C-alpha cells in the first residue's frame, strides 16, 4: 500500500520544509489511517488531501481520500478501512 499526503497542492512528507506545527498536526491526523491501510497489504495507492488554508489548524473534516486500486473488491476494502478508522471501529 502506498499512501501519499497532499497539502497546499504539494506532496507532504517528513522532508517538507514547512512549520513544525503543521508537520505535527498533519502527522497526528493521518497516522491512524496510514497504519490501518498498511495492514491491508494491497498493491494500491491512497492519497490524502487537505483542503485547509492553515495546515497547523487542519481538521479531520478537511481530509479527502482518493483511492486507486486494481479492482472494485480491493477498492471496497480500502474504503471500508477508511470509514472504520474514521469512526474508531475495531474488529
Amino acid at each position: 500500500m502506498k499512501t501519499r499526503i497532499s497539502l497546499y497542492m504539494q506532496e507532504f512528507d517528513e522532508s517538507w520544509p514547512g512549520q513544525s506545527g503543521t508537520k505535527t498536526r498533519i502527522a497526528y491526523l493521518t497516522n491512524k489511517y496510514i497504519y490501518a491501510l498498511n495492514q491491508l497489504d494491497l498493491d494500491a495507492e491512497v492519497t490524502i488531501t487537505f483542503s485547509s488554508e492553515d495546515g497547523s489548524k487542519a481538521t479531520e473534516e478537511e481530509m479527502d481520500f482518493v483511492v486507486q486500486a486494481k479492482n472494485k473488491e480491493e477498492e471496497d476494502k480500502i474504503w471500508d478501512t477508511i470509514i472504520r478508522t474514521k469512526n474508531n471501529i475495531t474488529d
Side-chain angles (χ1 to χ4, degrees):
M1 175 71 63
K2 183 172 188 173
T3 307
R4 296 176 184 258
I5 301 169
S6 177
L7 177 65
Y8 311 132
M9 304 296 282
Q10 300 175 35
E11 187 167 351
F12 179 89
D13 61 22
E14 59 276 350
S15 64
W16 192 73
Q19 299 173 331
S20 64
T22 298
K23 291 180 183 182
T24 301
R25 184 69 185 156
I26 299 302
Y28 172 78
L29 292 171
T30 59
N31 279 346
K32 67 181 179 180
Y33 291 97
I34 293 169
Y35 176 80
L37 291 167
N38 283 337
Q39 302 307 304
L40 295 177
D41 195 31
L42 297 174
D43 184 20
E45 183 174 311
V46 175
T47 303
I48 304 170
T49 304
F50 285 88
S51 59
S52 177
E53 297 275 330
D54 181 355
S56 66
K57 297 178 183 173
T59 66
E60 203 163 6
E61 289 75 28
E62 296 171 315
M63 294 171 65
D64 291 313
F65 294 86
V66 177
V67 175
Q68 295 177 343
K70 289 183 177 180
N71 56 52
K72 179 89 169 101
E73 182 182 333
E74 287 186 1
E75 184 177 338
D76 289 347
K77 283 182 184 179
I78 293 167
W79 279 113
D80 182 59
T81 300
I82 291 168
I83 292 166
R84 292 174 68 82
T85 302
K86 181 176 179 89
N87 294 315
N88 294 316
I89 299 171
T90 58
D91 290 330

PDB file of all heavy atoms in Angstrom, residues 16-36:
ATOM      1  N   TRP A  16       9.282  17.827   4.231  1.00  0.00           N
ATOM      2  CA  TRP A  16       8.536  19.032   3.854  1.00  0.00           C
ATOM      3  C   TRP A  16       9.089  20.231   4.611  1.00  0.00           C
ATOM      4  O   TRP A  16       9.305  20.168   5.824  1.00  0.00           O
ATOM      5  CB  TRP A  16       7.059  18.805   4.166  1.00  0.00           C
ATOM      6  CG  TRP A  16       6.122  19.806   3.594  1.00  0.00           C
ATOM      7  CD1 TRP A  16       5.756  19.927   2.292  1.00  0.00           C
ATOM      8  CD2 TRP A  16       5.414  20.819   4.305  1.00  0.00           C
ATOM      9  NE1 TRP A  16       4.862  20.949   2.150  1.00  0.00           N
ATOM     10  CE2 TRP A  16       4.636  21.516   3.364  1.00  0.00           C
ATOM     11  CE3 TRP A  16       5.367  21.215   5.637  1.00  0.00           C
ATOM     12  CZ2 TRP A  16       3.826  22.572   3.715  1.00  0.00           C
ATOM     13  CZ3 TRP A  16       4.563  22.265   5.979  1.00  0.00           C
ATOM     14  CH2 TRP A  16       3.797  22.932   5.030  1.00  0.00           C
ATOM     15  N   PRO A  17       9.334  21.358   3.930  1.00  0.00           N
ATOM     16  CA  PRO A  17      10.031  22.481   4.560  1.00  0.00           C
ATOM     17  C   PRO A  17       9.153  23.413   5.405  1.00  0.00           C
ATOM     18  O   PRO A  17       9.610  24.466   5.825  1.00  0.00           O
ATOM     19  CB  PRO A  17      10.583  23.245   3.349  1.00  0.00           C
ATOM     20  CG  PRO A  17       9.593  22.981   2.276  1.00  0.00           C
ATOM     21  CD  PRO A  17       9.113  21.575   2.502  1.00  0.00           C
ATOM     22  N   GLY A  18       7.930  23.037   5.677  1.00  0.00           N
ATOM     23  CA  GLY A  18       7.027  23.923   6.417  1.00  0.00           C
ATOM     24  C   GLY A  18       7.275  23.957   7.910  1.00  0.00           C
ATOM     25  O   GLY A  18       8.243  23.397   8.434  1.00  0.00           O
ATOM     26  N   GLN A  19       6.375  24.613   8.613  1.00  0.00           N
ATOM     27  CA  GLN A  19       6.483  24.791  10.065  1.00  0.00           C
ATOM     28  C   GLN A  19       6.278  23.469  10.800  1.00  0.00           C
ATOM     29  O   GLN A  19       5.524  22.610  10.367  1.00  0.00           O
ATOM     30  CB  GLN A  19       5.435  25.786  10.543  1.00  0.00           C
ATOM     31  CG  GLN A  19       5.575  27.150   9.948  1.00  0.00           C
ATOM     32  CD  GLN A  19       4.408  28.046  10.325  1.00  0.00           C
ATOM     33  OE1 GLN A  19       3.299  27.580  10.547  1.00  0.00           O
ATOM     34  NE2 GLN A  19       4.656  29.336  10.403  1.00  0.00           N
ATOM     35  N   SER A  20       6.917  23.343  11.951  1.00  0.00           N
ATOM     36  CA  SER A  20       6.813  22.102  12.721  1.00  0.00           C
ATOM     37  C   SER A  20       5.390  21.881  13.228  1.00  0.00           C
ATOM     38  O   SER A  20       4.943  20.743  13.354  1.00  0.00           O
ATOM     39  CB  SER A  20       7.808  22.097  13.879  1.00  0.00           C
ATOM     40  OG  SER A  20       7.498  23.118  14.804  1.00  0.00           O
ATOM     41  N   GLY A  21       4.652  22.949  13.508  1.00  0.00           N
ATOM     42  CA  GLY A  21       3.266  22.804  13.960  1.00  0.00           C
ATOM     43  C   GLY A  21       2.393  22.160  12.902  1.00  0.00           C
ATOM     44  O   GLY A  21       1.507  21.354  13.199  1.00  0.00           O
ATOM     45  N   THR A  22       2.665  22.498  11.650  1.00  0.00           N
ATOM     46  CA  THR A  22       1.924  21.898  10.541  1.00  0.00           C
ATOM     47  C   THR A  22       2.276  20.426  10.406  1.00  0.00           C
ATOM     48  O   THR A  22       1.401  19.576  10.268  1.00  0.00           O
ATOM     49  CB  THR A  22       2.227  22.640   9.223  1.00  0.00           C
ATOM     50  OG1 THR A  22       1.803  23.994   9.359  1.00  0.00           O
ATOM     51  CG2 THR A  22       1.523  22.007   8.052  1.00  0.00           C
ATOM     52  N   LYS A  23       3.564  20.108  10.481  1.00  0.00           N
ATOM     53  CA  LYS A  23       4.001  18.716  10.383  1.00  0.00           C
ATOM     54  C   LYS A  23       3.379  17.871  11.484  1.00  0.00           C
ATOM     55  O   LYS A  23       2.892  16.768  11.241  1.00  0.00           O
ATOM     56  CB  LYS A  23       5.529  18.620  10.472  1.00  0.00           C
ATOM     57  CG  LYS A  23       6.245  19.179   9.282  1.00  0.00           C
ATOM     58  CD  LYS A  23       7.745  19.035   9.475  1.00  0.00           C
ATOM     59  CE  LYS A  23       8.515  19.641   8.342  1.00  0.00           C
ATOM     60  NZ  LYS A  23       9.949  19.484   8.489  1.00  0.00           N
ATOM     61  N   THR A  24       3.384  18.395  12.693  1.00  0.00           N
ATOM     62  CA  THR A  24       2.826  17.668  13.835  1.00  0.00           C
ATOM     63  C   THR A  24       1.335  17.428  13.647  1.00  0.00           C
ATOM     64  O   THR A  24       0.849  16.312  13.875  1.00  0.00           O
ATOM     65  CB  THR A  24       3.071  18.453  15.137  1.00  0.00           C
ATOM     66  OG1 THR A  24       4.483  18.631  15.295  1.00  0.00           O
ATOM     67  CG2 THR A  24       2.504  17.738  16.337  1.00  0.00           C
ATOM     68  N   ARG A  25       0.605  18.431  13.221  1.00  0.00           N
ATOM     69  CA  ARG A  25      -0.848  18.313  13.051  1.00  0.00           C
ATOM     70  C   ARG A  25      -1.201  17.321  11.946  1.00  0.00           C
ATOM     71  O   ARG A  25      -2.070  16.476  12.118  1.00  0.00           O
ATOM     72  CB  ARG A  25      -1.454  19.687  12.749  1.00  0.00           C
ATOM     73  CG  ARG A  25      -2.949  19.681  12.642  1.00  0.00           C
ATOM     74  CD  ARG A  25      -3.571  19.423  13.994  1.00  0.00           C
ATOM     75  NE  ARG A  25      -5.006  19.300  13.841  1.00  0.00           N
ATOM     76  CZ  ARG A  25      -5.782  18.650  14.679  1.00  0.00           C
ATOM     77  NH1 ARG A  25      -5.270  18.074  15.751  1.00  0.00           N
ATOM     78  NH2 ARG A  25      -7.066  18.570  14.482  1.00  0.00           N
ATOM     79  N   ILE A  26      -0.539  17.416  10.814  1.00  0.00           N
ATOM     80  CA  ILE A  26      -0.822  16.518   9.694  1.00  0.00           C
ATOM     81  C   ILE A  26      -0.479  15.076  10.072  1.00  0.00           C
ATOM     82  O   ILE A  26      -1.236  14.149   9.792  1.00  0.00           O
ATOM     83  CB  ILE A  26      -0.073  16.959   8.414  1.00  0.00           C
ATOM     84  CG1 ILE A  26      -0.517  18.360   7.991  1.00  0.00           C
ATOM     85  CG2 ILE A  26      -0.264  15.950   7.296  1.00  0.00           C
ATOM     86  CD1 ILE A  26      -1.983  18.548   7.728  1.00  0.00           C
ATOM     87  N   ALA A  27       0.641  14.881  10.740  1.00  0.00           N
ATOM     88  CA  ALA A  27       1.021  13.538  11.189  1.00  0.00           C
ATOM     89  C   ALA A  27      -0.007  12.991  12.174  1.00  0.00           C
ATOM     90  O   ALA A  27      -0.397  11.824  12.086  1.00  0.00           O
ATOM     91  CB  ALA A  27       2.408  13.564  11.822  1.00  0.00           C
ATOM     92  N   TYR A  28      -0.455  13.810  13.099  1.00  0.00           N
ATOM     93  CA  TYR A  28      -1.454  13.399  14.084  1.00  0.00           C
ATOM     94  C   TYR A  28      -2.737  12.937  13.388  1.00  0.00           C
ATOM     95  O   TYR A  28      -3.325  11.921  13.759  1.00  0.00           O
ATOM     96  CB  TYR A  28      -1.754  14.558  15.045  1.00  0.00           C
ATOM     97  CG  TYR A  28      -2.909  14.286  15.968  1.00  0.00           C
ATOM     98  CD1 TYR A  28      -2.762  13.479  17.090  1.00  0.00           C
ATOM     99  CD2 TYR A  28      -4.163  14.829  15.702  1.00  0.00           C
ATOM    100  CE1 TYR A  28      -3.832  13.217  17.928  1.00  0.00           C
ATOM    101  CE2 TYR A  28      -5.239  14.566  16.531  1.00  0.00           C
ATOM    102  CZ  TYR A  28      -5.074  13.763  17.641  1.00  0.00           C
ATOM    103  OH  TYR A  28      -6.141  13.505  18.464  1.00  0.00           O
ATOM    104  N   LEU A  29      -3.170  13.668  12.375  1.00  0.00           N
ATOM    105  CA  LEU A  29      -4.418  13.342  11.685  1.00  0.00           C
ATOM    106  C   LEU A  29      -4.300  12.129  10.767  1.00  0.00           C
ATOM    107  O   LEU A  29      -5.276  11.403  10.566  1.00  0.00           O
ATOM    108  CB  LEU A  29      -4.908  14.545  10.875  1.00  0.00           C
ATOM    109  CG  LEU A  29      -5.377  15.747  11.679  1.00  0.00           C
ATOM    110  CD1 LEU A  29      -5.610  16.937  10.757  1.00  0.00           C
ATOM    111  CD2 LEU A  29      -6.638  15.430  12.472  1.00  0.00           C
ATOM    112  N   THR A  30      -3.141  11.887  10.204  1.00  0.00           N
ATOM    113  CA  THR A  30      -3.012  10.823   9.195  1.00  0.00           C
ATOM    114  C   THR A  30      -2.443   9.504   9.710  1.00  0.00           C
ATOM    115  O   THR A  30      -2.663   8.469   9.080  1.00  0.00           O
ATOM    116  CB  THR A  30      -2.135  11.302   8.027  1.00  0.00           C
ATOM    117  OG1 THR A  30      -0.837  11.664   8.518  1.00  0.00           O
ATOM    118  CG2 THR A  30      -2.768  12.479   7.308  1.00  0.00           C
ATOM    119  N   ASN A  31      -1.737   9.514  10.818  1.00  0.00           N
ATOM    120  CA  ASN A  31      -1.051   8.298  11.274  1.00  0.00           C
ATOM    121  C   ASN A  31      -1.978   7.103  11.440  1.00  0.00           C
ATOM    122  O   ASN A  31      -1.639   5.995  11.032  1.00  0.00           O
ATOM    123  CB  ASN A  31      -0.286   8.556  12.572  1.00  0.00           C
ATOM    124  CG  ASN A  31       1.047   9.205  12.323  1.00  0.00           C
ATOM    125  OD1 ASN A  31       1.534   9.245  11.205  1.00  0.00           O
ATOM    126  ND2 ASN A  31       1.644   9.734  13.373  1.00  0.00           N
ATOM    127  N   LYS A  32      -3.148   7.291  12.034  1.00  0.00           N
ATOM    128  CA  LYS A  32      -4.045   6.145  12.258  1.00  0.00           C
ATOM    129  C   LYS A  32      -4.555   5.582  10.931  1.00  0.00           C
ATOM    130  O   LYS A  32      -4.740   4.373  10.799  1.00  0.00           O
ATOM    131  CB  LYS A  32      -5.200   6.513  13.187  1.00  0.00           C
ATOM    132  CG  LYS A  32      -6.183   7.508  12.641  1.00  0.00           C
ATOM    133  CD  LYS A  32      -7.274   7.820  13.664  1.00  0.00           C
ATOM    134  CE  LYS A  32      -8.259   8.846  13.127  1.00  0.00           C
ATOM    135  NZ  LYS A  32      -9.301   9.129  14.114  1.00  0.00           N
ATOM    136  N   TYR A  33      -4.755   6.442   9.936  1.00  0.00           N
ATOM    137  CA  TYR A  33      -5.200   5.960   8.624  1.00  0.00           C
ATOM    138  C   TYR A  33      -4.080   5.200   7.918  1.00  0.00           C
ATOM    139  O   TYR A  33      -4.312   4.130   7.356  1.00  0.00           O
ATOM    140  CB  TYR A  33      -5.660   7.131   7.744  1.00  0.00           C
ATOM    141  CG  TYR A  33      -6.932   7.761   8.236  1.00  0.00           C
ATOM    142  CD1 TYR A  33      -6.900   8.901   9.022  1.00  0.00           C
ATOM    143  CD2 TYR A  33      -8.172   7.215   7.923  1.00  0.00           C
ATOM    144  CE1 TYR A  33      -8.070   9.481   9.479  1.00  0.00           C
ATOM    145  CE2 TYR A  33      -9.353   7.785   8.380  1.00  0.00           C
ATOM    146  CZ  TYR A  33      -9.289   8.925   9.161  1.00  0.00           C
ATOM    147  OH  TYR A  33     -10.451   9.490   9.622  1.00  0.00           O
ATOM    148  N   ILE A  34      -2.882   5.757   7.950  1.00  0.00           N
ATOM    149  CA  ILE A  34      -1.742   5.102   7.308  1.00  0.00           C
ATOM    150  C   ILE A  34      -1.491   3.737   7.934  1.00  0.00           C
ATOM    151  O   ILE A  34      -1.284   2.744   7.231  1.00  0.00           O
ATOM    152  CB  ILE A  34      -0.493   5.997   7.377  1.00  0.00           C
ATOM    153  CG1 ILE A  34      -0.715   7.248   6.511  1.00  0.00           C
ATOM    154  CG2 ILE A  34       0.752   5.242   6.920  1.00  0.00           C
ATOM    155  CD1 ILE A  34       0.329   8.326   6.701  1.00  0.00           C
ATOM    156  N   TYR A  35      -1.536   3.661   9.248  1.00  0.00           N
ATOM    157  CA  TYR A  35      -1.332   2.390   9.937  1.00  0.00           C
ATOM    158  C   TYR A  35      -2.391   1.368   9.506  1.00  0.00           C
ATOM    159  O   TYR A  35      -2.071   0.229   9.152  1.00  0.00           O
ATOM    160  CB  TYR A  35      -1.359   2.584  11.453  1.00  0.00           C
ATOM    161  CG  TYR A  35      -1.239   1.280  12.198  1.00  0.00           C
ATOM    162  CD1 TYR A  35       0.003   0.675  12.380  1.00  0.00           C
ATOM    163  CD2 TYR A  35      -2.362   0.638  12.694  1.00  0.00           C
ATOM    164  CE1 TYR A  35       0.120  -0.539  13.042  1.00  0.00           C
ATOM    165  CE2 TYR A  35      -2.260  -0.576  13.355  1.00  0.00           C
ATOM    166  CZ  TYR A  35      -1.021  -1.151  13.526  1.00  0.00           C
ATOM    167  OH  TYR A  35      -0.907  -2.359  14.172  1.00  0.00           O
ATOM    168  N   ALA A  36      -3.659   1.762   9.538  1.00  0.00           N
ATOM    169  CA  ALA A  36      -4.753   0.851   9.193  1.00  0.00           C
ATOM    170  C   ALA A  36      -4.664   0.406   7.733  1.00  0.00           C
ATOM    171  O   ALA A  36      -4.855  -0.781   7.422  1.00  0.00           O
ATOM    172  CB  ALA A  36      -6.095   1.516   9.464  1.00  0.00           C
TER     173      ALA A  36
END
